[in-house]
Amino acid sequence: MTDASDLDLIRAHVAGDRDAFTELFHRHRDRLWAVALRTLGDREEAADALQDALLSAHRAAARFRGDSAVTTWLHRIVVNACLDRIRRRQAHPTVPLPDGSRTDADGRPTGVEPAAPVRDHDTALVVRQALAALPVEQRAALVLVDVQGYPVAEVARILGVAEGTVKSRCARGRARLATLLGHLRTGSDEVAPASGVPEATAGNRRPPQDVRSGSGRSRHGTVEEET
Amino acid sequence: MTSGDLSQVDHDLLADYVGGALEGTPEQATVARLVDEDPTWSAAYARLVTALPQVHDDLARWAAGPAPEMPLAVAERIAAALVGAGPAPVAAAGFPRQPGPQTRLPAADDPAGDPDQAQSDRTHPIDDPHGPRPDEPVGRPAGERGGHPERAGRDRSRPAGGSGPGRRRRRWARLAGPVALAAAAMVGVGLGVNQLVRTEGGADSGASAPGQERTALASPFGAAGRRTTHSGTDWTPAALSGGGPLVDGPPAGKRPAAKQPGGQPDSSDDHGRLAGPGTLDRLADPVALDTCLDEITAEHGAGPLTVDVVDYAAFQGTPALVVDFVDAAGARWAWVSGPECGVPGSGADTRYRSRVG
């Protein structure tokens, strides 16, 4: 069984092999866990989302057509489960815009992942908090592309959107992170970084408070959205 | 330049431009012109491209840390849930198949539909807003604890109204889906759990510690008539819902795990996992047991329960607490919880449940 391909395991599962899907799970569990944990920022949520997703995949395996990699399919289900959870818990996202305003003044992202074994703990904590403040679609795209290192085309398949949309989500997410992390200098204003997200680097500055970000314009071609 | 000068900059559009998302679109040339000709846009562009490398550095440093590895407890829990889900649904025969109208969980190669619109169905293919189903083997529906006051504030930060009607019950339903149909077929066969209620003299019937007895008498779960057993039986959905005797003896083909002096199964038995990290030792504490039963009550969401039997046993090869109870509506249930039942964050650690009467 260990030599079987992912597709073989899916086929075996669909054919009634009770161990095949579990083998598939163990084969990819750490990667899926990393995606879920970094997207949700909370171990318990990540565990629940993964369980939901894997049970859904287990149930729907027969509908996997094999046109893409099994891992892509699994990632897509896991990411969707994560996004669903985030949407449910964030009725009012706390997203600082580049101008420093907030969509919700009283809230702050919750469920930050507990202390992680990273080399620079402070940076890790700050980055996690900043990511948690992003719109969920931007967060998911950034986690997959910039943190997990998946190619944009692969992420587009995982998220079920056009590549241009992935690029847009990442680009806008990075720009917001630049604000949240205090890297977006104005040259004139020296203020504290956006509340809820400490500075990653001492001396970084917050952008001016009255800079307005226009809403996303209509997009041609591959860019489909954003706010 | 004042910050007010930047009010005309569309920062999202500028971010798209810098990130290459406008390539091949008319906006690319538009933004390029603005960056070249408009001082406000030029300044904003300069600041952004200066800041982005630092963002990349921060993300790279975070990503360069040790990759998260799934905790063993989580891996075991999910694996147990998958095992509990049984084989692939019958409808799965004939792989590969084209997607049917009744199941919208797509393959990654299924581009149809708006992903955001459809994703809820992908992970919640079963929608039952009307409470627990008769037979629902589950992995662990943590977070679904209707009406539990202690959990109200930690329901995964689920805002009121933000999750839609019936979300809690859908959680049960979607976790239960794989085996629900098969288990439903077994409901009417026989009520094995009832034998646990009717039959005296189980493996360890009445052998609970004095402390357990005291707590049982004081606990709110109909404890006066509650019996505790340590049958060691490796229960299956069929045995629980299909008439397998719980107290008279294990189901056919199964045998009780050998007992250690403390009443727990022996590690050298077939059910060696019972002696591993996931043993039921913790639940021998009457306080922990009551906490577990409280979680089951909350998760069941049908009012106070009258617990008739608590069996320290196993379910599909893993240690499990098998509880027989009658809810406020008069329905009798067999409920299987794992060793983490009652542990903060683990809820009832539910592995299976079946209405048996």
Side-chain angles (χ1 to χ4, degrees):
Chain A
M1 186 67 77
T2 55
D3 294 332
S5 69
D6 290 348
L7 191 57
D8 290 339
L9 290 175
I10 287 287
R11 285 174 169 152
H13 165 64
V14 171
D17 185 333
R18 300 176 69 100
D19 298 325
F21 199 88
T22 301
E23 168 70 17
L24 189 66
F25 157 64
H26 285 300
R27 183 175 291 183
H28 299 293
R29 70 183 196 190
D30 286 336
R31 280 204 299 165
L32 297 173
W33 172 251
V35 169
L37 182 60
R38 285 170 164 166
T39 301
L40 286 164
D42 179 276
R43 293 174 188 272
E44 195 173 344
E45 289 267 16
D48 284 353
L50 262 186
Q51 181 166 315
D52 287 357
L54 288 165
L55 284 172
S56 292
H58 177 284
R59 186 164 52 244
R63 303 193 181 282
F64 176 68
R65 296 197 300 259
D67 294 343
S68 66
V70 172
T71 52
T72 300
W73 176 68
L74 288 175
H75 273 79
R76 182 174 187 179
I77 296 171
V78 168
V79 170
N80 281 330
C82 293
L83 296 182
D84 186 35
R85 284 183 167 272
I86 294 171
R87 290 188 182 105
R88 274 186 277 152
R89 79 184 185 192
Q90 289 186 341
H92 304 288
T94 57
V95 185
L97 299 172
D99 62 355
S101 65
R102 284 179 172 275
T103 55
D104 184 342
D106 62 349
R108 199 177 74 77
T110 59
V112 173
E113 176 192 350
V118 294
R119 290 181 303 183
D120 185 341
H121 175 78
D122 290 340
T123 296
L125 179 62
V126 168
V127 170
R128 285 199 303 270
Q129 288 181 332
L131 277 170
L134 295 180
V136 293
E137 291 82 7
Q138 293 177 10
R139 187 195 316 179
L142 275 180
V143 165
L144 290 168
V145 174
D146 284 0
V147 181
Q148 294 299 118
Y150 296 129
V152 168
E154 174 78 356
V155 174
R157 287 191 289 271
I158 290 172
L159 297 177
V161 299
E163 290 185 31
T165 301
V166 174
K167 290 180 182 177
S168 176
R169 289 177 178 179
C170 289
R172 294 180 180 196
R174 293 180 196 118
R176 286 175 188 253
L177 283 182
T179 299
L180 290 164
L181 296 171
H183 297 316
L184 200 58
R185 298 171 182 274
T186 66
S188 59
D189 300 80
E190 294 190 15
V191 294
S195 61
V197 181
E199 290 178 285
T201 307
N204 288 338
R205 295 165 177 81
R206 186 183 179 186
Q209 296 297 303
D210 56 346
V211 177
R212 283 266 170 216
S213 171
S215 59
R217 298 177 184 173
S218 61
R219 297 284 178 266
H220 298 282
T222 57
V223 180
E224 298 174 356
E225 54 165 307
E226 292 291 39
T227 55
Chain B
M1 178 190 311
T2 67
S3 55
D5 294 332
L6 303 178
S7 60
Q8 297 176 2
V9 174
D10 184 331
H11 290 275
D12 281 339
L13 192 61
L14 182 61
D16 285 345
Y17 174 75
V18 173
L22 298 181
E23 291 176 1
T25 71
E27 280 102 338
Q28 182 181 26
T30 302
V31 176
R33 180 182 54 77
L34 287 168
V35 168
D36 284 342
E37 300 175 359
D38 187 317
T40 302
W41 279 77
S42 296
Y45 173 83
R47 285 195 300 276
L48 184 57
V49 296
T50 300
L52 287 180
Q54 299 174 71
V55 174
H56 281 290
D57 288 346
D58 285 342
L59 290 172
R61 265 185 292 177
W62 185 42
E69 292 184 2
M70 180 179 286
L72 183 59
V74 174
E76 288 182 342
R77 176 185 126 192
I78 294 176
L82 293 174
V83 170
V90 175
F95 172 92
R97 286 186 167 191
Q98 294 301 312
Q102 72 278 22
T103 300
R104 294 177 59 194
L105 190 151
D109 47 10
D110 178 5
D114 171 40
D116 294 341
Q117 179 67 31
Q119 62 86 23
S120 179
D121 290 316
R122 290 175 189 137
T123 54
H124 313 141
I126 299 174
D127 193 341
D128 176 10
H130 304 299
R133 293 190 168 196
D135 298 272
E136 295 183 340
V138 294
R140 198 209 74 176
E144 300 303 315
R145 306 175 185 91
H148 195 302
E150 292 183 0
R151 305 296 180 190
R154 55 181 293 276
D155 186 24
R156 309 295 186 269
S157 302
R158 202 168 292 166
S163 56
R167 179 68 73 177
R168 288 172 180 268
R169 294 302 173 227
R170 278 198 290 273
R171 171 76 189 281
W172 265 113
R174 68 177 183 269
L175 290 176
V179 189
L181 292 177
M186 295 186 286
V187 171
V189 175
L191 305 178
V193 176
N194 285 346
Q195 298 187 39
L196 181 145
V197 180
R198 291 193 297 266
T199 308
E200 295 294 332
D204 281 345
S205 181
S208 52
Q212 287 176 287
E213 295 292 350
R214 285 195 302 272
T215 303
L217 290 172
S219 69
F221 303 103
R226 185 172 87 202
R227 286 187 295 107
T228 300
T229 65
H230 295 265
S231 74
T233 301
D234 185 7
W235 292 101
T236 65
L240 283 172
S241 61
L246 280 173
V247 180
D248 286 343
K254 302 290 182 181
R255 63 185 177 85
K259 301 299 184 299
Q260 294 174 329
Q264 293 300 317
D266 184 80
S267 60
S268 62
D269 186 79
D270 288 344
H271 312 292
R273 294 177 65 184
L274 292 174
T279 67
L280 301 174
D281 291 350
R282 187 186 59 80
L283 291 170
D285 177 3
V287 175
L289 177 60
D290 274 351
T291 302
C292 170
L293 295 176
D294 181 57
E295 291 287 357
I296 292 174
T297 301
E299 204 159 281
H300 185 57
L305 308 180
T306 301
V307 177
D308 290 316
V309 178
V310 174
D311 185 21
Y312 292 78
F315 181 73
Q316 296 185 325
T318 59
L321 198 70
V322 180
V323 181
D324 173 80
F325 63 80
V326 176
D327 63 23
R332 180 172 295 282
W333 291 77
W335 191 290
V336 181
S337 287
E340 293 186 21
C341 181
V343 172
S346 293
D349 193 12
T350 305
R351 307 299 173 86
Y352 178 82
R353 65 177 181 174
S354 175
R355 180 171 177 173
V356 296

